[in-house]
């Protein structure tokens, strides 16, 4: 009876934290895709939120899992001064170290999945409600430097041709504001497919599988 009560309290707190992570993910996605007065969205910021950070986080998670360290971000969360005391006490009362690690791992994956789901919700919402045009500008980077990185990121969904990046897409969407007009090919709206595939491949699907 006590174990069931303990489990229910831990699950209710996990759901509450998950809703917070979901909201933060949605707000982050909307903020990144808000764009300027002409609807132009910074492609590099979008890539960081939807592709680069999730892929790096996934690699780190798998590496730590391989090394036998499964606590994840939940272990960092309970160390924060603002962490819910109920959650900390519930996790620390786990007598078995294995059970505690399992609970931390499950909570870490559920929070990451909730944040990623919020990202996806905000992404879809902005695509439905606004006319998003992805453009990019950089002082240090050029299209030839970015393309191998994006091409590598897109390799898991090679079967989805429309979601594949190309050097031409990067060239056509660079310095769009300075060019002042749509170029032939009109690639500014096509990056959403790449970003959607990245979220599914590096955030939603793997985090759901790890959580399960």
């Amino acid at each position: 009876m006590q174990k069931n009560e303990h489990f229910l309290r831990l699950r209710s707190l996990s759901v509450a934290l998950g809703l917070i992570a979901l909201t933060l993910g949605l707000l982050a996605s909307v903020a990144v895709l808000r764009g300027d007065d002409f609807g132009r969205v910074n492609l590099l910021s979008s890539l960081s939120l939807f592709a680069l950070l999730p892929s790096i986080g996934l690699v780190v998670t798998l590496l730590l899992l391989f090394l036998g360290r499964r606590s994840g971000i939940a272990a960092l969360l309970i160390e924060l001064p603002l962490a819910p005391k109920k959650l900390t006490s519930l996790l620390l009362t786990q007598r078995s170290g294995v059970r505690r690690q399992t609970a931390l791992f499950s909570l870490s994956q559920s929070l990451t999945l909730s944040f990623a789901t919020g990202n996806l919700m905000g992404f879809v919402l902005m695509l439905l409600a606004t006319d998003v045009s992805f453009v990019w500008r950089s002082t240090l980077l050029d299209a030839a430097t970015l393309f191998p990185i994006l091409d590598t990121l897109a390799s898991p969904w090679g079967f989805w041709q429309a979601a594949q990046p190309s050097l031409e897409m990067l060239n056509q969407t660079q310095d769009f504001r300075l060019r002042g007009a749509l170029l032939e090919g009109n690639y500014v709206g096509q990056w959403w497919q790449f970003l959607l595939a990245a979220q599914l491949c590096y955030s939603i699907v793997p985090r759901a599988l790890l959580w399960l």
Side-chain angles (χ1 to χ4, degrees):
M1 188 68 178
Q2 186 177 2
K3 289 184 178 180
N4 291 335
E5 183 181 355
H6 180 94
F7 173 77
L8 291 175
R9 285 191 296 169
L10 183 59
R11 187 173 65 175
S12 63
L13 284 172
S14 299
V15 170
L17 291 174
L19 291 175
I20 294 175
L22 180 78
T23 303
L24 292 175
L26 191 149
L27 293 176
S29 183
V30 170
V32 166
L33 296 176
R34 191 172 182 179
D36 59 15
D37 294 336
F38 299 98
R40 293 181 296 227
V41 174
N42 189 328
L43 176 62
L44 297 183
S45 298
S46 303
L47 287 172
S48 297
L49 179 63
F50 300 131
L52 293 178
L53 292 179
S55 60
I56 293 173
L58 182 61
V59 170
V60 171
T61 298
L62 294 177
L63 179 61
L64 293 177
L65 185 62
F66 177 77
L67 295 176
R69 302 181 60 182
R70 303 192 301 167
S71 54
I73 62 172
L76 299 176
L77 179 64
I78 62 176
E79 296 293 334
L80 296 176
L82 298 178
K85 293 183 179 180
K86 289 184 178 180
L87 176 65
T88 304
S89 61
L90 286 172
L91 291 173
L92 292 179
T93 52
Q94 296 279 358
R95 296 181 179 179
S96 171
V98 175
R99 289 179 57 187
R100 186 182 302 113
Q101 287 290 317
T102 301
L104 287 170
F105 182 78
S106 177
L107 180 59
S108 296
Q109 302 314 309
S110 66
L111 292 178
T112 307
L113 178 60
S114 296
F115 184 84
T117 302
N119 277 171
L120 184 60
M121 290 173 60
F123 182 77
V124 174
L125 177 64
M126 293 300 290
L127 290 181
L128 290 174
T130 62
D131 185 13
V132 178
S133 297
F134 293 99
V135 298
W136 67 280
R137 307 173 188 93
S138 175
T139 303
L140 300 178
L141 300 175
D142 56 22
T145 303
L146 280 175
F147 176 68
I149 300 174
L150 301 186
D151 191 49
T152 301
L153 287 173
S155 57
W157 60 86
F159 57 89
W160 187 358
Q161 191 59 39
Q164 294 297 308
S166 69
L167 187 59
E168 184 180 4
M169 285 177 65
L170 284 168
N171 285 324
Q172 291 280 6
T173 52
Q174 184 179 13
D175 291 332
F176 175 74
R177 181 183 62 182
L178 300 180
R179 300 180 189 216
L182 282 171
L183 298 172
E184 184 180 357
N186 190 17
Y187 289 110
V188 293
Q190 293 188 19
W191 282 107
W192 72 267
Q193 296 174 88
F194 173 88
L195 296 173
L196 174 61
Q199 291 180 75
L200 295 176
C201 180
Y202 294 116
S203 295
I204 302 297
V205 174
R207 294 298 178 176
L209 291 175
L210 287 170
W211 179 61
L212 291 175

